[in-house]
Amino acid sequence: MHLFTSKFIDLPEQVTEMPGSITTPAGYSAAGIAAGIKASGKEDLGMLVSSSPCVSSTLFTTNAAAAAPVCVCRDERQPGGMRGVVVNSGSANAATGERGMEDARRMAALAASAAGTDEGEMAVASTGVIGVPLPMDLIEAGIARSAEGLSENGGGDFARAIQTTDRIEKQGAVAVELSGGTVHIGACAKGAGMIAPAMATMLCFITTDAVMGADQLEVMLKDAAGVSFNAISVDGDMSTNDSVFLFANGASGVAVDEGSADRQLFSRALAAVCRGLAMKMVADGEGATKTIELKVTGAQTAEEAAKVAAAVATSSLVRTAFYGRDANWGRLIASAGAALAGGPALKASVAFEDVLLAKDGQASGDVPDGDRLQRIMESPEIAVELALHRGSEECTIYFSDLTHDYVTLNAEYTT
Amino acid sequence: MHLFTSKFIDLPEQVTEMPGSITTPAGYSAAGIAAGIKASGKEDLGMLVSSSPCVSSTLFTTNAAAAAPVCVCRDERQPGGMRGVVVNSGSANAATGERGMEDARRMAALAASAAGTDEGEMAVASTGVIGVPLPMDLIEAGIARSAEGLSENGGGDFARAIQTTDRIEKQGAVAVELSGGTVHIGACAKGAGMIAPAMATMLCFITTDAVMGADQLEVMLKDAAGVSFNAISVDGDMSTNDSVFLFANGASGVAVDEGSADRQLFSRALAAVCRGLAMKMVADGEGATKTIELKVTGAQTAEEAAKVAAAVATSSLVRTAFYGRDANWGRLIASAGAALAGGPALKASVAFEDVLLAKDGQASGDVPDGDRLQRIMESPEIAVELALHRGSEECTIYFSDLTHDYVTLNAEYTT
């Protein structure tokens, strides 16, 4: 399994992909077991712990119906001081009221106790069906077994334990050659499909053994999310459980100094890892057959660029056209025009890869070589540019096509 | 064919449905022919003309990429002074630049000349594929044949000529018993599916023989659209070609006076006709198997209610759950929470018909009779209430489920 399979990702030359996981950086152990929460009997409970204290950074959904574990981590933990996490799949512990809050606190406390950390150092996350209380007896027994199984090779098991409808494995690791030596970043995620508007859940866990400051970590994580997870969730619309956790335990002894070239390089490496995971999510899009990179240019404001990008990327007509391999630029323009409703007449241009299909709001007249266009439409990754010619702001997002399998999966599966 | 088949429509007792069309009110003639624009050879060109001058009112898409015929009608016609319309299907004359504008003007001029009206009295509309110029030779020959075929029984042919992916006929007529006598309203429409966000096109043509003022007509049409076409297009997002035309020629001699009970009654009849057509559009939703009435209550502002309603109604997860007959209230709450992102914790209630599934943001605990819930989920029309408990504003919209057939239709059909 390779993390960087998308043509939309640039990897700096000092960054080397390696087979690995969240336990590839030094000083982390993890486990993943089948606790019986999922009816399928698959892995559904995971734990990750650093053997030494960490600095940490987190990102949570802004959903007003945020799940209990999100509320606990967000409101009752020091964001920079966590060194481990316990997570279950099969049940989201969302829309579960005060009982859900108590269950989330207890789940974290059990994990902290079993792993020998302070309670305040243990984060908690859940994913799965909404509105059903956690089966705490299974969780309790599962945490005890997980803690016994914690291992420096447990990252892969952990990654399996967080999956629900995922069909593609989403984990990997990189080595980063800094001036003071080599550090590692490991990560895994769950999440499939157009996160918004489908409200699927994404969880992501990232570890590093670099020596970092908490403030530094926070800025880097925000930057990385902006070009990865937030570039696929389109407009900040997030599910009840979306969470990203980043831990840095300093076990390599190699520091990443503020303002240094190392700082820039590490930031690029972190962004590449997040983009690798985000591209897997899009490609694993529930039922997806292709990934589209949509670059909206020439907007009057950044907000306008984001609004148009979101409208196009979430248009069912646009997404089914890509599934049908139909280079239907008219649907992109109609969707952009709707996003800009009430404004001056839109005269947009549309290019699929290097083929300019529309110019000044109408067919470009350059009849493209039919074979060339067909080859583009059949490729698994397509770069599309929609130029609004109204200003100089832009926004790039990634989305998948809308397919028969998406409908099957979501009509038959209760999430 | 009956226009009022939805349980969501109340018909005043003075309003009687009758088999009919846009030519049921006195003084209108219409035609619909196959001009060869559609490759299928089906009807694709229609004309409607009143034998005497009319007052008229129109509603157009606010899409910034509005089609040429919309721009011509909106910018180059007196909105209150039209008495006829020429319309084609098979080609939208959208994203066609200056040539498209000239074609739309010429199409109207040809129809005015053939029907013997002033050019300024003839409206024009198109629907179909975006980005392709109109085949003006076929249009010109078709208009000549249509004009010859204009008939007081031509409403049904006209209705067929405006259809594209429609599977359900959308036309009808009513008689309205006013204090001064009987007047009639006839109407037909095209449009299938969730108009937004799918950007499908809707066209609607309404005729009446009541004696009306233009100002009066405009207010009534806006009111009627608010509870019909705009309650299915969710948030004003409209396609490039959406247009509604209402003509009143006064041929009955029966006046609808301002401020009278007749005025109220006529307004309710007009709204019912528009709701009848709108419900057909939802039910004909590309691939749809059911219609959901979503009432969002307890919002802080009308805008908030509309925003939440739009988010839920356009959520692919919510829509596929209805297709799967899954009473998945958690997806509604997750979607509402995303629309209210960043706000205080949402404690919403959800009822499907009279079954309260969620209360205070969690399962209600009243385990519903399984059979009863299953019967609700299997019915073709489901009333859903989502109570936000934040204020007193509300919004009601109608949407369809998202199905395999939707994907098939839009992946294989170029619109």
Side-chain angles (χ1 to χ4, degrees):
Chain A
M1 211 284 304
H2 291 279
L3 186 55
F4 305 107
T5 48
S6 168
K7 72 176 182 182
F8 300 128
I9 301 174
D10 276 331
L11 212 56
E13 63 178 75
Q14 301 93 330
V15 178
T16 311
E17 180 174 13
M18 48 194 295
S21 70
I22 50 171
T23 46
T24 297
Y28 293 95
S29 51
I33 63 150
I37 307 163
K38 283 180 182 164
S40 66
K42 288 188 179 168
E43 289 90 341
D44 50 19
L45 195 120
M47 280 178 67
L48 165 68
V49 188
S50 165
S51 56
S52 58
C54 289
V55 292
S56 63
S57 185
T58 52
L59 291 173
F60 297 115
T61 180
T62 55
N63 193 303
V70 170
C71 296
V72 167
C73 290
R74 187 190 61 196
D75 303 336
E76 304 178 7
R77 294 287 180 276
Q78 292 294 333
M82 291 184 273
R83 67 191 262 190
V85 62
V86 57
V87 55
N88 75 278
S89 55
S91 182
N93 195 10
T96 45
E98 189 48 43
R99 173 173 169 185
M101 292 293 290
E102 283 163 20
D103 287 347
R105 286 183 199 113
R106 179 139 175 271
M107 189 170 156
L110 288 167
S113 168
T117 75
D118 285 350
E119 195 177 324
E121 293 176 322
M122 186 61 65
V124 57
S126 297
T127 181
V129 182
I130 294 177
V132 181
L134 288 181
M136 285 306 292
D137 50 341
L138 298 177
I139 299 265
E140 182 164 1
I143 287 173
R145 280 176 47 220
S146 282
E148 282 167 22
L150 282 169
S151 146
E152 289 179 5
N153 300 314
D157 293 335
F158 180 97
R160 268 187 296 283
I162 63 175
Q163 302 208 321
T164 56
T165 56
D166 304 67
R167 297 172 309 176
I168 300 177
E169 189 181 307
K170 297 175 193 79
Q171 64 172 329
V174 295
V176 188
E177 301 299 329
L178 300 180
S179 59
T182 302
V183 299
H184 297 88
I185 302 173
C188 67
K190 76 135 279 186
M194 194 67 197
I195 305 298
M199 309 296 149
T201 298
M202 71 151 284
L203 295 178
C204 178
F205 304 90
I206 312 167
T207 56
T208 180
D209 50 16
V211 179
M212 313 274 293
D215 292 351
Q216 194 181 14
L217 213 59
E218 189 182 339
V219 173
M220 283 191 200
L221 182 58
K222 274 194 184 153
D223 287 350
V227 294
S228 58
F229 311 123
N230 289 341
I232 61 169
S233 82
V234 176
D235 54 356
D237 245 19
M238 297 180 98
S239 96
T240 54
N241 291 58
D242 295 340
S243 305
V244 181
F245 299 88
L246 168 56
F247 303 96
N249 65 6
S252 68
V254 178
V256 178
D257 294 328
E258 270 306 335
S260 66
D262 284 346
R263 162 74 170 76
Q264 277 205 324
L265 182 58
F266 188 90
S267 191
R268 285 181 63 196
L270 180 64
V273 168
C274 291
R275 280 171 72 81
L277 294 170
M279 292 304 150
K280 297 276 182 206
M281 288 184 209
V282 176
D284 197 13
E286 291 169 342
T289 69
K290 55 182 85 251
T291 297
I292 298 96
E293 178 188 68
L294 173 67
K295 188 172 181 177
V296 174
T297 62
Q300 289 178 321
T301 63
E303 292 68 34
E304 181 177 279
K307 185 178 175 185
V308 170
V312 174
T314 58
S315 159
S316 301
L317 276 185
V318 168
R319 296 178 63 211
T320 46
F322 279 105
Y323 176 47
R325 299 172 181 190
D326 176 11
N328 196 321
W329 58 267
R331 290 187 184 176
L332 277 82
I333 286 186
S335 173
L340 299 169
L346 176 65
K347 308 278 188 192
S349 304
V350 178
F352 281 29
E353 299 289 353
D354 57 351
V355 177
L356 185 69
L357 293 167
K359 196 177 160 181
D360 289 333
Q362 54 189 301
S364 66
D366 304 334
V367 180
D369 175 334
D371 282 355
R372 166 94 183 104
L373 191 57
Q374 202 49 43
R375 277 198 303 278
I376 290 172
M377 295 313 295
E378 282 170 9
S379 68
E381 294 191 324
I382 305 175
V384 173
E385 181 174 347
L386 171 64
L388 304 179
H389 304 305
R390 296 155 60 99
S392 57
E393 295 296 329
E394 55 184 64
C395 175
T396 299
I397 64 172
Y398 300 85
F399 65 97
S400 60
D401 53 346
L402 177 60
T403 71
H404 287 116
D405 285 352
Y406 175 89
V407 175
T408 301
L409 211 52
N410 284 298
E412 294 173 4
Y413 174 76
T414 295
T415 46
Chain B
M1 210 283 304
H2 290 280
L3 185 55
F4 305 107
T5 48
S6 168
K7 72 175 182 182
F8 300 128
I9 301 174
D10 276 331
L11 212 56
E13 62 177 75
Q14 300 93 330
V15 178
T16 311
E17 179 173 13
M18 49 195 294
S21 70
I22 50 172
T23 46
T24 297
Y28 294 95
S29 51
I33 63 151
I37 307 163
K38 283 180 182 164
S40 66
K42 289 188 179 168
E43 289 90 341
D44 51 18
L45 194 120
M47 280 178 68
L48 165 69
V49 188
S50 166
S51 55
S52 58
C54 289
V55 293
S56 64
S57 185
T58 53
L59 291 173
F60 297 113
T61 181
T62 55
N63 193 303
V70 170
C71 296
V72 166
C73 290
R74 187 189 62 198
D75 304 336
E76 304 178 8
R77 294 285 181 277
Q78 291 295 333
M82 289 184 275
R83 67 190 264 190
V85 61
V86 57
V87 54
N88 74 278
S89 57
S91 182
N93 195 9
T96 45
E98 188 49 41
R99 172 173 169 184
M101 292 293 289
E102 283 162 22
D103 287 347
R105 287 183 201 115
R106 178 137 176 272
M107 189 170 154
L110 287 167
S113 168
T117 75
D118 285 350
E119 196 176 324
E121 293 176 321
M122 187 60 65
V124 56
S126 296
T127 180
V129 183
I130 294 177
V132 181
L134 288 182
M136 285 305 291
D137 49 341
L138 298 176
I139 299 266
E140 181 165 1
I143 286 173
R145 279 176 47 219
S146 282
E148 282 167 23
L150 282 169
S151 146
E152 289 180 4
N153 300 314
D157 293 335
F158 180 97
R160 269 187 296 282
I162 63 174
Q163 302 207 321
T164 56
T165 56
D166 305 66
R167 297 171 309 176
I168 299 177
E169 189 182 307
K170 298 175 192 80
Q171 64 171 331
V174 295
V176 189
E177 301 298 328
L178 300 180
S179 59
T182 303
V183 299
H184 297 89
I185 303 173
C188 67
K190 77 135 280 187
M194 193 70 198
I195 304 297
M199 308 296 148
T201 299
M202 70 151 285
L203 295 178
C204 178
F205 304 89
I206 312 168
T207 56
T208 180
D209 49 18
V211 179
M212 312 275 292
D215 292 352
Q216 195 182 12
L217 212 60
E218 189 182 340
V219 173
M220 283 192 200
L221 181 58
K222 273 195 186 152
D223 287 350
V227 295
S228 59
F229 310 122
N230 289 342
I232 61 169
S233 83
V234 177
D235 54 357
D237 245 19
M238 297 179 100
S239 95
T240 53
N241 291 58
D242 296 340
S243 305
V244 181
F245 298 89
L246 168 56
F247 303 96
N249 64 6
S252 69
V254 178
V256 178
D257 293 327
E258 270 304 337
S260 66
D262 284 346
R263 162 75 170 73
Q264 277 204 324
L265 183 58
F266 188 90
S267 191
R268 284 181 64 197
L270 180 64
V273 167
C274 291
R275 280 171 72 83
L277 294 170
M279 292 304 151
K280 296 278 182 204
M281 287 184 208
V282 176
D284 196 12
E286 291 169 341
T289 69
K290 54 181 86 253
T291 298
I292 298 98
E293 178 188 69
L294 172 68
K295 188 173 182 177
V296 174
T297 62
Q300 290 179 320
T301 62
E303 292 68 36
E304 182 178 280
K307 184 179 176 185
V308 169
V312 174
T314 58
S315 159
S316 301
L317 276 185
V318 168
R319 296 178 63 211
T320 46
F322 278 106
Y323 176 49
R325 298 171 182 192
D326 176 11
N328 196 320
W329 57 267
R331 289 187 185 177
L332 276 82
I333 286 186
S335 173
L340 299 170
L346 175 66
K347 308 279 188 191
S349 305
V350 178
F352 282 28
E353 299 289 352
D354 57 351
V355 177
L356 185 69
L357 293 167
K359 195 178 161 180
D360 289 332
Q362 55 189 301
S364 65
D366 304 333
V367 180
D369 174 334
D371 282 355
R372 166 93 183 104
L373 191 57
Q374 202 49 41
R375 276 199 303 278
I376 290 171
M377 296 313 294
E378 282 170 10
S379 68
E381 294 191 323
I382 305 175
V384 173
E385 182 174 348
L386 172 64
L388 304 179
H389 304 306
R390 295 155 62 98
S392 58
E393 295 295 329
E394 56 185 63
C395 175
T396 300
I397 63 172
Y398 300 85
F399 63 97
S400 60
D401 54 346
L402 177 60
T403 71
H404 288 115
D405 285 352
Y406 175 89
V407 175
T408 301
L409 211 52
N410 284 297
E412 293 172 6
Y413 174 76
T414 295
T415 46

